[in-house]
Amino acid sequence: MLKTLDVVAAIIEKDDKILLAQRPAYADQPGMWEFAGGKVEAGETQPDALIRELREELGIEAMPEQYVASHQREVSQRLIHLHAWHVPFFSGELKAHYHSALVWCTPEEALMYDLAPADIPLLEAFILLRAARPAGSC
């Protein structure tokens, strides 16, 4: 039986662009682009885990606002339950403490990056959610 992990991913949005982070050479799926985030620890809510992970990985204080979507995928003999949250606000200066690079791009441009497969359905769900938003809202 596969080990199951709950993982949260942040779709951080600023000025109509989203943040992608490149996985380091020593990680699973090296060089692929992903949404920053990480494992949900025992006793944590998804937003709490996301706040902690973004503090550790990017040095920011994030404010997760809205659940976007979940996706399940087998990665490296583990079953990953990935949960995406929209993060339209954060404070602090972004720094890549874990990732090898960070890039801002439109959600549509993000599809041209070598994305981690588990993140693609989350990005597609975000694009649909974003298209459904009333004009002028974030």
Side-chain angles (χ1 to χ4, degrees):
M1 187 157 159
L2 296 175
K3 180 178 180 180
T4 302
L5 290 176
D6 268 312
V7 176
V8 286
I11 301 179
I12 301 171
E13 186 176 24
K14 180 180 175 184
D15 300 327
D16 294 322
K17 296 197 173 191
I18 59 172
L19 184 73
L20 294 181
Q22 190 173 37
R23 296 183 60 76
Y26 57 83
D28 279 349
Q29 302 174 316
M32 294 189 108
W33 293 86
E34 67 178 2
F35 298 120
K39 280 191 280 189
V40 179
E41 303 293 345
E44 275 185 322
T45 65
Q46 290 178 19
D48 287 345
L50 203 53
I51 290 166
R52 176 184 51 76
E53 286 286 348
L54 296 179
R55 189 179 296 140
E56 292 170 6
E57 288 186 2
L58 300 174
I60 61 171
E61 291 300 318
M63 293 166 239
E65 184 175 273
Q66 182 181 13
Y67 167 79
V68 175
S70 293
H71 180 69
Q72 184 174 300
R73 187 171 201 90
E74 188 179 331
V75 179
S76 303
Q77 284 72 55
R78 296 175 299 183
L79 191 58
I80 307 292
H81 291 275
L82 189 58
H83 312 283
W85 287 78
H86 181 217
V87 179
F89 307 106
F90 66 89
S91 61
E93 189 177 329
L94 282 168
K95 287 191 172 68
H97 294 293
Y98 168 74
H99 296 93
S100 55
L102 301 173
V103 67
W104 289 101
C105 60
T106 68
E108 294 74 21
E109 289 167 346
L111 292 167
M112 293 182 261
Y113 283 80
D114 186 17
L115 289 173
D119 285 30
I120 294 169
L122 303 178
L123 173 60
E124 290 170 343
F126 178 71
I127 289 170
L128 290 173
L129 184 70
R130 196 169 182 249
R133 288 195 303 220
S137 70
C138 55

